[in-house]
Amino acid sequence: EDQVTQSPEALRLQEGESSSLNCSYTVSGLRGLFWYRQDPGKGPEFLFTLYSAGEEKEKERLKATLTKKESFLHITAPKPEDSATYLCAVQANAGNMLTFGGGTRLMVKP
Amino acid sequence: ETGVTQSPTHLIKTRGQQVTLRCSSQSGHNTVSWYQQALGQGPQFIFQYYREEENGRGNFPPRFSGLQFPNYSSELNVNALELDDSALYLCASSLSGTGIYEQFFGPGTRLTVL
């Protein structure tokens, strides 16, 4: 069974304080790993897709990396508007569904 | 380009009732997936429709059923509602049901079962 675990569950940062969110996964053949941002009461917003170990993608203050067992979402000099829940999901070779982790709730204080 | 839309936004039902939720996919997308998200948890896959056929199903009972129409919009039907069905129901569309394609989510329908 595919499993995704995200840590920490919650993270409080001061504005400008860089950090990383972790996504560990167990999957029977990885097709893709996806990062989403979700604001309260809204649907997830797509951020990145990573396909193979060693791959990196960047968007503004966010950078996602992938190894064979985990992915990291690095947030550089975060701003209060980066406050949200960040979700990680995997798609396995066997199917079309996304298996999500529980998310990391990020709070950035000014 | 219109994104994924869902209706209604909020819904309150009582235990034992039936509910239908609707989703319009993003322009050019022929695949719709439905997810259930309980408060404080990640979304859980219910099922996917590709070109009007069910294309994968998660661990949900048969009282969760769906349809996809020729214009690729979709419905999620839940019969015999239970209290635990209270959740945010998310619809996501993608370019295809084969291969790896990003899934783009709608705003969700918040269902409360009393």
Coordinates of all heavy atoms in Angstrom, one line a residue, chain B residues 49-107:
Chain B
Y49 N -12.9 9.4 -13.3 CA -13.6 9.2 -14.5 C -12.8 9.7 -15.7 O -12.3 10.8 -15.7 CB -15.0 9.8 -14.5 CG -16.0 9.0 -13.7 CD1 -16.1 9.1 -12.3 CD2 -16.8 8.0 -14.4 CE1 -17.0 8.3 -11.7 CE2 -17.7 7.2 -13.7 CZ -17.8 7.3 -12.4 OH -18.6 6.5 -11.7
Y50 N -12.7 8.9 -16.7 CA -11.9 9.2 -17.9 C -12.8 8.8 -19.1 O -13.2 7.7 -19.2 CB -10.6 8.4 -17.9 CG -9.8 8.4 -19.2 CD1 -9.5 9.6 -19.8 CD2 -9.4 7.3 -19.8 CE1 -8.8 9.7 -21.0 CE2 -8.7 7.3 -20.9 CZ -8.4 8.5 -21.5 OH -7.6 8.5 -22.7
R51 N -13.1 9.8 -19.9 CA -14.0 9.6 -21.1 C -15.2 8.8 -20.7 O -15.6 7.9 -21.3 CB -13.2 8.9 -22.1 CG -12.1 9.7 -22.7 CD -11.4 9.0 -23.9 NE -10.4 9.9 -24.5 CZ -9.6 9.5 -25.5 NH1 -9.7 8.3 -26.0 NH2 -8.7 10.3 -26.0
E52 N -15.9 9.3 -19.6 CA -17.2 8.8 -19.2 C -17.2 7.4 -18.5 O -18.2 6.9 -18.2 CB -18.2 8.8 -20.3 CG -18.4 10.2 -20.9 CD -19.4 10.2 -22.1 OE1 -20.5 9.8 -21.9 OE2 -19.0 10.6 -23.2
E53 N -16.0 6.8 -18.3 CA -15.9 5.5 -17.7 C -15.1 5.6 -16.4 O -14.2 6.4 -16.3 CB -15.1 4.5 -18.6 CG -15.8 4.2 -19.9 CD -17.0 3.3 -19.8 OE1 -17.0 2.5 -18.8 OE2 -17.9 3.4 -20.6
E54 N -15.5 4.8 -15.4 CA -14.7 4.8 -14.1 C -13.3 4.2 -14.4 O -13.2 3.2 -15.0 CB -15.5 4.0 -13.0 CG -14.8 4.1 -11.7 CD -15.5 3.4 -10.6 OE1 -16.6 3.8 -10.1 OE2 -15.0 2.3 -10.1
N55 N -12.3 5.0 -13.9 CA -10.9 4.7 -14.3 C -10.1 4.5 -13.0 O -9.0 4.9 -13.0 CB -10.4 5.8 -15.1 CG -9.0 5.5 -15.7 OD1 -8.8 4.4 -16.2 ND2 -8.1 6.4 -15.7
G56 N -10.7 3.9 -12.0 CA -9.9 3.7 -10.7 C -10.8 4.1 -9.6 O -11.6 5.1 -9.7
R57 N -10.7 3.4 -8.5 CA -11.6 3.6 -7.3 C -10.8 3.4 -6.0 O -10.0 2.5 -6.0 CB -12.8 2.7 -7.3 CG -13.8 3.0 -6.3 CD -15.0 2.1 -6.3 NE -16.0 2.4 -5.3 CZ -17.0 3.3 -5.5 NH1 -17.2 3.8 -6.7 NH2 -17.9 3.6 -4.6
G58 N -11.0 4.2 -5.0 CA -10.3 4.1 -3.8 C -11.2 3.2 -2.8 O -12.1 2.6 -3.3
N59 N -10.8 3.2 -1.6 CA -11.5 2.4 -0.6 C -12.8 3.0 0.0 O -12.8 3.4 1.2 CB -10.5 2.0 0.6 CG -9.4 1.1 0.1 OD1 -9.6 0.3 -0.8 ND2 -8.2 1.3 0.7
F60 N -13.7 3.2 -0.9 CA -15.0 3.8 -0.5 C -16.1 2.8 -0.8 O -16.0 2.2 -1.8 CB -15.2 5.2 -1.2 CG -14.5 6.3 -0.5 CD1 -13.1 6.5 -0.8 CD2 -15.1 7.1 0.4 CE1 -12.4 7.5 -0.2 CE2 -14.4 8.2 1.0 CZ -13.1 8.4 0.7
P61 N -17.2 2.8 0.0 CA -18.2 1.8 -0.2 C -19.0 2.2 -1.4 O -19.0 3.3 -1.9 CB -19.1 2.0 1.1 CG -18.8 3.3 1.6 CD -17.3 3.6 1.2
P62 N -19.8 1.2 -1.9 CA -20.6 1.4 -3.2 C -21.6 2.6 -3.1 O -22.1 3.0 -4.1 CB -21.3 0.1 -3.4 CG -20.5 -0.9 -2.6 CD -19.9 -0.2 -1.5
R63 N -22.0 3.0 -1.9 CA -23.0 4.1 -1.8 C -22.4 5.4 -2.3 O -23.1 6.4 -2.5 CB -23.5 4.2 -0.3 CG -22.4 4.5 0.7 CD -23.0 4.4 2.1 NE -22.0 4.8 3.1 CZ -21.8 6.0 3.4 NH1 -22.5 7.0 2.9 NH2 -20.9 6.3 4.3
F64 N -21.1 5.4 -2.5 CA -20.4 6.5 -3.2 C -20.4 6.1 -4.7 O -19.7 5.2 -5.1 CB -19.0 6.8 -2.7 CG -18.9 7.4 -1.4 CD1 -19.1 6.7 -0.2 CD2 -18.6 8.8 -1.3 CE1 -19.0 7.3 1.0 CE2 -18.5 9.4 0.0 CZ -18.7 8.6 1.1
S65 N -21.1 6.9 -5.6 CA -21.1 6.6 -7.0 C -20.9 7.9 -7.8 O -21.1 9.0 -7.2 CB -22.4 5.9 -7.4 OG -23.5 6.8 -7.1
G66 N -20.6 7.7 -9.1 CA -20.4 8.9 -9.9 C -20.8 8.7 -11.3 O -21.2 7.6 -11.8
L67 N -20.7 9.8 -12.0 CA -21.0 9.9 -13.4 C -20.1 10.9 -14.1 O -19.7 11.9 -13.4 CB -22.5 10.4 -13.7 CG -23.6 9.4 -13.5 CD1 -24.9 10.2 -13.6 CD2 -23.6 8.3 -14.5
Q68 N -19.8 10.7 -15.4 CA -19.2 11.7 -16.1 C -20.0 11.9 -17.4 O -20.4 10.9 -18.0 CB -17.7 11.4 -16.5 CG -17.0 12.6 -17.1 CD -15.5 12.3 -17.4 OE1 -15.2 11.2 -17.7 NE2 -14.7 13.4 -17.4
F69 N -20.2 13.1 -17.8 CA -21.0 13.4 -19.0 C -20.2 13.7 -20.2 O -19.0 13.9 -20.1 CB -21.9 14.6 -18.6 CG -22.8 14.4 -17.4 CD1 -22.4 14.9 -16.2 CD2 -24.0 13.7 -17.6 CE1 -23.2 14.6 -15.1 CE2 -24.8 13.4 -16.5 CZ -24.4 13.9 -15.2
P70 N -20.8 13.7 -21.4 CA -20.1 13.9 -22.6 C -19.2 15.2 -22.7 O -18.2 15.3 -23.4 CB -21.1 13.9 -23.7 CG -22.2 13.0 -23.2 CD -22.2 13.3 -21.7
N71 N -19.6 16.2 -21.9 CA -18.9 17.4 -21.9 C -17.8 17.4 -20.8 O -17.1 18.4 -20.5 CB -19.8 18.6 -21.6 CG -20.4 18.6 -20.2 OD1 -20.3 17.7 -19.5 ND2 -21.1 19.7 -19.9
Y72 N -17.6 16.2 -20.2 CA -16.6 15.9 -19.2 C -16.9 16.4 -17.8 O -16.1 16.2 -16.9 CB -15.2 16.2 -19.6 CG -14.8 15.6 -20.9 CD1 -14.3 16.3 -22.0 CD2 -14.9 14.2 -21.1 CE1 -14.0 15.7 -23.2 CE2 -14.6 13.6 -22.3 CZ -14.2 14.4 -23.4 OH -13.8 13.8 -24.6
S73 N -18.0 17.1 -17.6 CA -18.4 17.4 -16.2 C -18.8 16.1 -15.5 O -18.9 15.1 -16.1 CB -19.6 18.4 -16.2 OG -20.7 17.8 -16.8
S74 N -18.9 16.2 -14.2 CA -19.1 15.0 -13.4 C -19.9 15.3 -12.2 O -20.1 16.4 -11.7 CB -17.7 14.5 -12.9 OG -17.8 13.4 -12.1
E75 N -20.5 14.2 -11.7 CA -21.3 14.2 -10.5 C -20.8 13.1 -9.5 O -20.4 12.1 -9.9 CB -22.8 13.9 -10.8 CG -23.6 14.9 -11.4 CD -25.1 14.6 -11.6 OE1 -25.4 13.4 -11.3 OE2 -25.8 15.4 -12.0
L76 N -20.9 13.5 -8.2 CA -20.6 12.5 -7.2 C -21.9 12.4 -6.4 O -22.5 13.4 -6.0 CB -19.5 13.0 -6.2 CG -19.3 12.3 -4.9 CD1 -18.9 10.9 -5.0 CD2 -18.3 13.1 -4.0
N77 N -22.4 11.1 -6.3 CA -23.6 10.8 -5.5 C -23.2 10.0 -4.3 O -22.4 9.1 -4.4 CB -24.6 10.0 -6.4 CG -25.0 10.8 -7.6 OD1 -25.7 11.8 -7.5 ND2 -24.5 10.4 -8.8
V78 N -23.8 10.4 -3.2 CA -23.6 9.6 -1.9 C -25.0 9.3 -1.4 O -25.8 10.2 -1.1 CB -22.8 10.4 -0.9 CG1 -22.5 9.5 0.3 CG2 -21.5 11.0 -1.5
N79 N -25.3 8.0 -1.2 CA -26.5 7.6 -0.6 C -26.4 7.2 0.8 O -25.3 7.0 1.3 CB -27.0 6.3 -1.4 CG -27.4 6.6 -2.8 OD1 -27.9 7.6 -3.1 ND2 -27.0 5.6 -3.7
A80 N -27.5 7.2 1.5 CA -27.5 6.8 2.9 C -26.4 7.5 3.7 O -25.6 6.8 4.3 CB -27.4 5.3 3.0
L81 N -26.5 8.8 3.7 CA -25.4 9.6 4.4 C -25.2 9.2 5.8 O -26.2 9.0 6.6 CB -25.8 11.1 4.3 CG -25.5 11.7 2.9 CD1 -26.2 13.1 2.8 CD2 -24.0 11.8 2.6
E82 N -23.9 9.2 6.2 CA -23.6 8.9 7.6 C -22.8 10.2 8.1 O -22.4 11.0 7.4 CB -22.6 7.7 7.7 CG -23.2 6.4 7.1 CD -22.3 5.3 7.1 OE1 -21.1 5.4 7.5 OE2 -22.7 4.2 6.7
L83 N -22.8 10.3 9.5 CA -22.2 11.4 10.1 C -20.7 11.6 9.6 O -20.2 12.7 9.4 CB -22.2 11.3 11.6 CG -23.6 11.3 12.2 CD1 -23.5 11.1 13.8 CD2 -24.4 12.5 11.9
D84 N -20.0 10.5 9.5 CA -18.6 10.5 9.0 C -18.4 11.0 7.6 O -17.3 11.2 7.2 CB -17.9 9.1 9.2 CG -17.7 8.8 10.6 OD1 -17.7 9.7 11.5 OD2 -17.4 7.6 10.9
D85 N -19.5 11.1 6.9 CA -19.4 11.7 5.5 C -19.2 13.2 5.5 O -18.9 13.8 4.4 CB -20.6 11.3 4.7 CG -20.8 9.8 4.5 OD1 -19.7 9.1 4.5 OD2 -21.9 9.4 4.3
S86 N -19.3 13.8 6.6 CA -19.0 15.3 6.7 C -17.6 15.5 6.4 O -16.7 15.0 7.0 CB -19.3 15.7 8.2 OG -20.7 15.6 8.5
A87 N -17.4 16.4 5.3 CA -16.0 16.6 4.8 C -16.1 17.6 3.7 O -17.2 18.1 3.3 CB -15.4 15.3 4.3
L88 N -14.9 18.0 3.3 CA -14.8 18.8 2.1 C -14.6 17.9 0.9 O -13.7 17.0 0.9 CB -13.6 19.8 2.2 CG -13.3 20.7 1.0 CD1 -14.4 21.8 0.9 CD2 -11.9 21.4 1.2
Y89 N -15.5 18.0 -0.1 CA -15.4 17.1 -1.3 C -14.7 17.9 -2.4 O -15.2 18.9 -2.8 CB -16.7 16.5 -1.7 CG -17.2 15.5 -0.7 CD1 -17.8 15.8 0.5 CD2 -16.9 14.1 -0.9 CE1 -18.2 14.9 1.4 CE2 -17.2 13.2 0.0 CZ -17.9 13.5 1.2 OH -18.2 12.6 2.1
L90 N -13.6 17.4 -2.9 CA -12.8 18.0 -3.9 C -12.9 17.3 -5.2 O -12.8 16.1 -5.3 CB -11.4 18.1 -3.5 CG -11.1 18.9 -2.2 CD1 -9.7 18.6 -1.6 CD2 -11.2 20.4 -2.5
C91 N -13.0 18.1 -6.3 CA -13.0 17.6 -7.6 C -11.7 18.1 -8.3 O -11.3 19.2 -8.1 CB -14.2 18.1 -8.4 SG -14.2 17.9 -10.1
A92 N -11.0 17.2 -9.1 CA -9.8 17.6 -9.8 C -9.9 17.2 -11.2 O -10.4 16.1 -11.5 CB -8.6 17.0 -9.1
S93 N -9.5 18.0 -12.1 CA -9.5 17.6 -13.5 C -8.0 17.6 -14.0 O -7.1 18.2 -13.5 CB -10.3 18.5 -14.4 OG -9.7 19.8 -14.6
S94 N -7.8 16.7 -15.0 CA -6.5 16.6 -15.7 C -6.7 16.3 -17.2 O -7.8 16.0 -17.6 CB -5.7 15.5 -15.0 OG -6.4 14.3 -15.0
L95 N -5.6 16.5 -17.9 CA -5.6 16.4 -19.4 C -6.1 15.0 -19.8 O -6.7 14.9 -20.9 CB -4.3 16.8 -19.9 CG -4.0 18.2 -20.2 CD1 -2.6 18.4 -20.6 CD2 -5.0 18.8 -21.3
S96 N -5.6 14.0 -19.1 CA -5.9 12.6 -19.5 C -5.9 11.7 -18.3 O -5.3 12.0 -17.3 CB -4.9 12.2 -20.6 OG -5.1 10.8 -20.9
G97 N -6.6 10.6 -18.5 CA -6.6 9.5 -17.5 C -5.5 8.5 -17.7 O -5.4 7.6 -16.9
T98 N -4.6 8.7 -18.7 CA -3.5 7.8 -18.9 C -2.2 8.7 -18.8 O -2.2 9.9 -19.2 CB -3.6 7.1 -20.3 OG1 -3.5 8.2 -21.3 CG2 -4.8 6.4 -20.4
G99 N -1.2 8.1 -18.3 CA 0.1 8.9 -18.2 C 0.1 9.8 -17.0 O -0.8 9.6 -16.1
I100 N 1.1 10.6 -16.9 CA 1.2 11.5 -15.7 C 0.8 12.9 -16.0 O 1.5 13.5 -16.8 CB 2.6 11.5 -15.2 CG1 3.2 10.1 -15.0 CG2 2.7 12.2 -13.8 CD1 4.7 10.0 -14.8
Y101 N -0.3 13.3 -15.5 CA -0.8 14.7 -15.7 C -1.1 15.3 -14.4 O -1.7 14.7 -13.5 CB -2.0 14.7 -16.7 CG -1.6 14.2 -18.0 CD1 -1.8 12.9 -18.4 CD2 -1.1 15.1 -19.0 CE1 -1.5 12.5 -19.7 CE2 -0.7 14.7 -20.2 CZ -1.0 13.4 -20.6 OH -0.7 12.9 -21.9
E102 N -0.8 16.6 -14.2 CA -1.1 17.3 -13.0 C -2.6 17.4 -12.9 O -3.4 17.5 -13.9 CB -0.6 18.7 -13.1 CG 0.9 18.8 -12.9 CD 1.7 18.6 -14.2 OE1 1.0 18.5 -15.3 OE2 2.9 18.5 -14.2
Q103 N -3.1 17.2 -11.6 CA -4.5 17.4 -11.3 C -4.8 18.7 -10.7 O -4.1 19.1 -9.8 CB -4.9 16.2 -10.4 CG -4.8 14.9 -11.0 CD -5.4 13.8 -10.1 OE1 -6.2 14.0 -9.2 NE2 -5.0 12.5 -10.4
F104 N -5.7 19.4 -11.3 CA -6.0 20.8 -10.8 C -7.4 20.8 -10.1 O -8.4 20.3 -10.7 CB -6.1 21.7 -12.0 CG -4.8 21.9 -12.7 CD1 -4.4 21.1 -13.8 CD2 -3.9 22.9 -12.3 CE1 -3.1 21.2 -14.4 CE2 -2.6 23.0 -12.9 CZ -2.2 22.2 -13.9
F105 N -7.4 21.3 -8.9 CA -8.5 21.1 -8.0 C -9.5 22.3 -8.1 O -9.1 23.5 -8.3 CB -8.0 21.0 -6.6 CG -7.5 19.6 -6.3 CD1 -6.2 19.3 -6.6 CD2 -8.3 18.7 -5.7 CE1 -5.7 18.0 -6.3 CE2 -7.8 17.4 -5.4 CZ -6.5 17.1 -5.7
G106 N -10.7 22.0 -7.8 CA -11.7 23.1 -7.7 C -11.8 23.5 -6.2 O -11.0 23.0 -5.4
P107 N -12.7 24.4 -5.9 CA -12.7 25.0 -4.5 C -13.3 24.1 -3.5 O -13.2 24.3 -2.3 CB -13.6 26.3 -4.7 CG -14.4 26.0 -5.9 CD -13.6 25.1 -6.8

